[in-house]
Amino acid sequence: MRFRSLSILLLLVASCAVRAQSFRAYSGEFLQLGAGARSLALGGSAIAFVDDATMGYWNPAGLSSLTYPNISAMHEARFDNTVKYDYGAIAIPLGKSSGVALSVFHIGISDIKDTRNAFVDRSGSGTFDGENYLDYSKVTTFGNYDWGVYLSYGHQQDSSPLSYGANLKFIVRKLDPENSATGIGFDAAVRYRVSDQLMLAAVGQDITTTLLSYTSGTRELVSPTLKLGGAYQWDLFDDRAHVIMPVADIDLRFENRGSVSEVHVGPISADMHAGLEYAFRNIVFVRGGYTDTKLLTLGVGIHLPKLSLDYAFQSFSADDQLGNTHRVSFSIALDNKLRRAR
């Protein structure tokens, strides 16, 4: 009954988003960068299988499976070290069937040149010519950043295969020294274990729309995104020494992205990302993926009794001239019994 009610809610919110006229495409893109190197290496697919503190970001319903506290952290250098992205989270179980998490992320760009007060317009033409120039002594620098704080809760009813959860999100943006924004949003999520091998999940991000209010007077609405995902663990042999896990997520958006998406009908668009993970004795992991931006990703990981270390790599094409992305992350379990087989 709860699953049906949540599904109806998500559909109603999605319907409202389609009719709305005030959404701005990509206004919430900074909320879609992901968390953890494992997820990036798998093409950004994660809502059905994550099992550490990053569940607070990806799918809070998974927090119901926590047995012991978990701490996760991540650093990413994007676009040839231009953009720095840092993330940290702690997840704590509440009894046998519930869990909570606190997640914090920061995205920043520093040393941006500001020439707005350095242009000397002697001719009054407003363009660079023989008389007009830049006074470099008046060129300043500034940085911009995004902060996000997620408060997450997940619960599973008795021994039901269905778990559900929600996020409360606080957002602070600063685009330049004179313009900043604050916002608040909500996510709702479910996860369903079909069998020991197959897990399905759905996450409604920004389900009530997230309002970003800028000091300049501008207001942006982040439209809802419905994520659907699945993960399947395939044991190649009975000894479970070799496990292959294909994963896939589909992002349904309602902000009129048009032909830049893989599939679009009116204002509705759909993009898929997928990945494949190979695990050897649940210690060494090799991963590959394909993102919704049509890029390949690669990654590796090592899983020790209480510590997991992961690395992911993504390269843009030479034509894009956006450079490479490197992401490293770790996850610490405060008791080794927490780290079940992935």
Side-chain angles (χ1 to χ4, degrees):
M1 183 63 68
R2 289 190 179 93
F3 177 71
R4 181 180 300 175
S5 299
L6 181 58
S7 299
I8 293 173
L9 174 62
L10 293 178
L11 289 175
L12 289 175
V13 171
S15 176
C16 292
V18 172
R19 295 193 298 269
Q21 301 298 317
S22 56
F23 295 121
R24 183 173 297 177
Y26 304 103
S27 59
E29 200 67 14
F30 69 101
L31 299 173
Q32 302 293 328
L33 295 182
R38 186 187 185 197
S39 62
L40 178 63
L42 292 171
S45 303
I47 66 171
F49 66 85
V50 285
D51 59 356
D52 56 17
T54 62
M55 288 185 289
Y57 175 93
W58 288 110
N59 188 337
L63 294 169
S64 62
S65 64
L66 277 175
T67 307
Y68 294 93
N70 184 273
I71 298 173
S72 297
M74 179 202 79
H75 175 73
E76 174 182 296
R78 184 173 285 254
F79 306 144
D80 269 349
N81 214 34
T82 301
V83 180
K84 307 292 180 62
Y85 176 28
D86 295 288
Y87 167 91
I90 181 170
I92 301 173
L94 298 177
K96 296 181 179 180
S97 58
S98 301
V100 295
L102 171 65
S103 307
V104 180
F105 73 78
H106 174 266
I107 307 165
I109 304 175
S110 58
D111 296 326
I112 301 173
K113 302 295 184 183
D114 187 348
T115 61
R116 288 175 292 184
N117 297 319
F119 179 55
V120 179
D121 188 7
R122 286 184 172 178
S123 65
S125 64
T127 61
F128 284 100
D129 53 31
E131 297 183 63
N132 302 335
Y133 64 94
L134 281 179
D135 183 350
Y136 288 96
S137 66
K138 296 181 179 180
V139 174
T140 59
T141 61
F142 68 94
N144 64 19
Y145 59 77
D146 298 301
W147 280 98
V149 178
Y150 288 27
L151 301 176
S152 310
Y153 173 78
H155 180 74
Q156 181 178 4
Q157 189 66 36
D158 300 326
S159 58
S160 170
L162 176 69
S163 57
Y164 53 90
N167 284 334
L168 172 61
K169 307 189 294 190
F170 300 95
I171 299 163
V172 176
R173 308 198 74 190
K174 189 173 182 64
L175 301 184
D176 63 46
E178 300 175 356
N179 195 14
S180 60
T182 57
I184 186 171
F186 301 89
D187 302 335
V190 293
R191 192 172 74 169
Y192 188 83
R193 181 173 291 279
V194 180
S195 66
D196 290 340
Q197 291 77 36
L198 178 61
M199 186 79 78
L200 301 178
V203 179
Q205 295 180 333
D206 305 292
I207 59 171
T208 60
T209 70
T210 295
L211 172 65
L212 296 175
S213 180
Y214 290 85
T215 54
S216 63
T218 300
R219 291 190 174 186
E220 292 182 344
L221 289 174
V222 179
S223 66
T225 297
L226 178 59
K227 289 178 173 285
L228 306 174
Y232 184 83
Q233 287 189 336
W234 178 24
D235 300 325
L236 297 182
F237 304 101
D238 292 338
D239 61 0
R240 291 183 59 83
H242 305 272
V243 178
I244 290 179
M245 185 179 69
V247 299
D249 286 1
I250 297 176
D251 298 341
L252 300 176
R253 298 184 176 93
F254 311 92
E255 54 185 21
N256 199 25
R257 292 197 172 191
S259 60
V260 299
S261 298
E262 295 178 354
V263 179
H264 66 97
V265 178
I268 305 175
S269 62
D271 294 289
M272 179 176 179
H273 25 162
L276 185 68
E277 177 182 82
Y278 165 74
F280 175 69
R281 297 191 182 280
N282 199 39
I283 298 175
V284 178
F285 298 82
V286 179
R287 306 172 180 119
Y290 184 75
T291 73
D292 57 338
T293 53
K294 303 177 179 61
L295 297 172
L296 295 176
T297 58
L298 298 171
V300 294
I302 184 169
H303 172 202
L304 304 175
K306 294 185 179 182
L307 175 67
S308 293
L309 299 172
D310 296 298
Y311 167 78
F313 171 81
Q314 174 180 285
S315 179
F316 289 84
S317 68
D319 295 336
D320 292 327
Q321 298 181 354
L322 294 176
N324 300 323
T325 294
H326 301 272
R327 179 182 291 185
V328 293
S329 66
F330 70 84
S331 178
I332 299 175
L334 301 188
D335 190 291
N336 60 8
K337 294 181 182 178
L338 173 63
R339 305 302 293 176
R340 298 181 294 272
R342 291 184 168 185

